[in-house]
Amino acid sequence: MTEKLGRNDPCWCGSGRKYKVCHQALDEKIQGFARAGHMVPGRELLKGPEQIAGIKESCRINIAVLDYIEAHIQAGMNTAEIDRIVYEMTTDMGGIPAPLHYEGYPYSVCTSVNEQVCHGFPSKDVILKPGDIINVDCSTILNGYFSDSSRMFCIGEISPEKEKLVRVAKECVELGLKEVKPWGFLGDMGQAVHDHAFANGCTVVREIGGHGVGLAFHEEPWVGYNTRRGEEMLMVPGMIFTIEPMINMGKADIYIDDKNGWEVYTEDGLPSAQWEIMVLVTEEGSEVLCW
């Protein structure tokens, strides 16, 4: 909390209400956790009702695009076609693909196939075939508000090992979501993800995780999944972040393609799977905004 307010001052959130009837009690509760030595979010990470409404509209586009891809993705399609669909649908609905030109990224979407962990480049040369698994990671900007989610797709009949990996990755997200509660900690969610992955013989990528999102593509906090209960940042109503663990069939080690500086692969060449959802912490628990 960076600004000291009097009880009768206008609240910092812009609601127009007095501080004492708006955010004072919440601020004091957060400060109590901070005094106990916990990592707490700053006010800039807590979204208000107007911001949440704008973010949900961005999410509406993101969901629609992924729904369309889910209905049309098939063997024989190249991943450049997915990139074209994402760009055209997003812009037709009034949005902007957030990945396009982000820190030099040259495409509108990430398409990561089999042993690609994330940030896979769409290409006419990458043609989906039966047995492949692919993560399509879609992000949208609408009126300055950001959304971000990804889904796994199985092309034709896949191996039992890949089926298990995709299923376990989704279960990890679902179990992590159950731990998203106000006044809990991101580590509660992270340990639930980690424990389920390892119980099923999988590993969790360490170097890349989730993130805050909504007013920017990537905000604080960084969200890891090799964490412990009671640790990491306090979860407070108004926070929005992604749950997106990258689950490897083999070892957790990864490397980045040194030619383009973006595409991430498993070191051992075994497949990786990831689902990504965008979550709002509420007074009662959580709300999934984007999937």
Side-chain angles (χ1 to χ4, degrees):
M1 302 299 115
T2 57
E3 182 184 356
K4 185 71 173 177
L5 294 176
R7 287 169 49 80
N8 293 311
D9 289 339
C11 187
W12 55 263
C13 73
S15 66
R17 297 194 297 167
K18 291 182 178 180
Y19 181 49
K20 65 183 179 183
V21 296
C22 196
H23 271 88
Q24 183 176 2
L26 182 136
D27 281 355
E28 289 174 350
K29 190 167 185 176
I30 293 173
Q31 289 164 3
F33 279 93
R35 286 193 294 270
H38 294 289
M39 186 189 312
V40 301
R43 289 173 178 166
E44 72 279 0
L45 299 187
L46 307 183
K47 277 67 175 180
E50 185 176 326
Q51 293 171 324
I52 292 169
I55 292 166
K56 286 183 175 180
E57 284 301 300
S58 178
C59 291
R60 182 179 60 83
I61 295 176
N62 216 65
I63 293 165
V65 172
L66 283 171
D67 283 349
Y68 183 90
I69 291 168
E70 185 166 356
H72 292 86
I73 196 168
Q74 60 184 319
M77 175 184 282
N78 64 62
T79 55
E81 177 69 3
I82 297 173
D83 185 64
R84 183 192 63 79
I85 291 169
V86 170
Y87 178 82
E88 291 181 355
M89 280 196 69
T90 302
T91 54
D92 285 349
M93 296 176 75
I96 301 168
L100 187 59
H101 307 312
Y102 176 76
E103 295 186 353
Y105 187 80
Y107 301 101
S108 296
V109 68
C110 299
T111 54
S112 304
V113 182
N114 295 328
E115 75 277 9
Q116 285 184 317
V117 177
C118 61
H119 305 158
F121 278 15
S123 171
K124 291 181 179 179
D125 297 327
V126 179
I127 300 172
L128 298 176
K129 60 185 184 299
D132 285 341
I133 58 173
I134 177 174
N135 177 267
V136 179
D137 191 346
C138 189
S139 309
T140 301
I141 310 168
L142 180 69
N143 299 325
Y145 295 109
F146 290 74
S147 54
D148 189 10
S149 60
S150 79
R151 301 181 196 173
M152 292 297 299
F153 301 109
C154 302
I155 307 303
E157 185 174 346
I158 62 172
S159 69
E161 294 80 11
K162 283 184 175 178
E163 185 280 327
K164 179 182 177 182
L165 175 68
V166 172
R167 174 175 51 80
V168 168
K170 190 170 189 180
E171 290 169 352
C172 283
V173 172
E174 293 167 346
L175 290 169
L177 177 63
K178 290 181 179 180
E179 299 295 333
V180 179
K181 305 166 187 174
W183 317 113
F185 297 91
L186 285 174
D188 304 347
M189 182 270 297
Q191 181 157 8
V193 169
H194 175 276
D195 289 353
H196 188 69
F198 277 78
N200 283 277
C202 301
T203 58
V204 186
V205 171
R206 299 176 291 260
E207 297 89 343
I208 309 172
H211 52 89
V213 63
L215 305 185
F217 196 174
H218 295 93
E219 304 173 17
E220 294 296 326
W222 186 82
V223 181
Y225 310 100
N226 289 283
T227 51
R228 297 178 183 273
R229 291 186 177 275
E231 298 181 354
E232 305 300 313
M233 186 176 282
L234 179 73
M235 293 185 285
V236 175
M239 285 178 64
I240 298 177
F241 55 86
T242 64
I243 303 177
E244 51 174 314
M246 299 167 195
I247 309 300
N248 291 354
M249 184 184 291
K251 295 181 180 179
D253 304 287
I254 59 174
Y255 72 93
I256 300 174
D257 188 323
D258 56 11
K259 293 180 181 178
N260 58 46
W262 277 102
E263 294 180 294
V264 181
Y265 294 82
T266 58
E267 185 72 48
D268 57 16
L270 292 176
S272 183
Q274 176 198 24
W275 301 79
E276 177 182 11
I277 62 173
M278 202 171 138
V279 182
L280 167 68
V281 182
T282 67
E283 295 284 353
E284 297 78 24
S286 66
E287 180 182 354
V288 178
L289 303 182
C290 202
W291 57 88

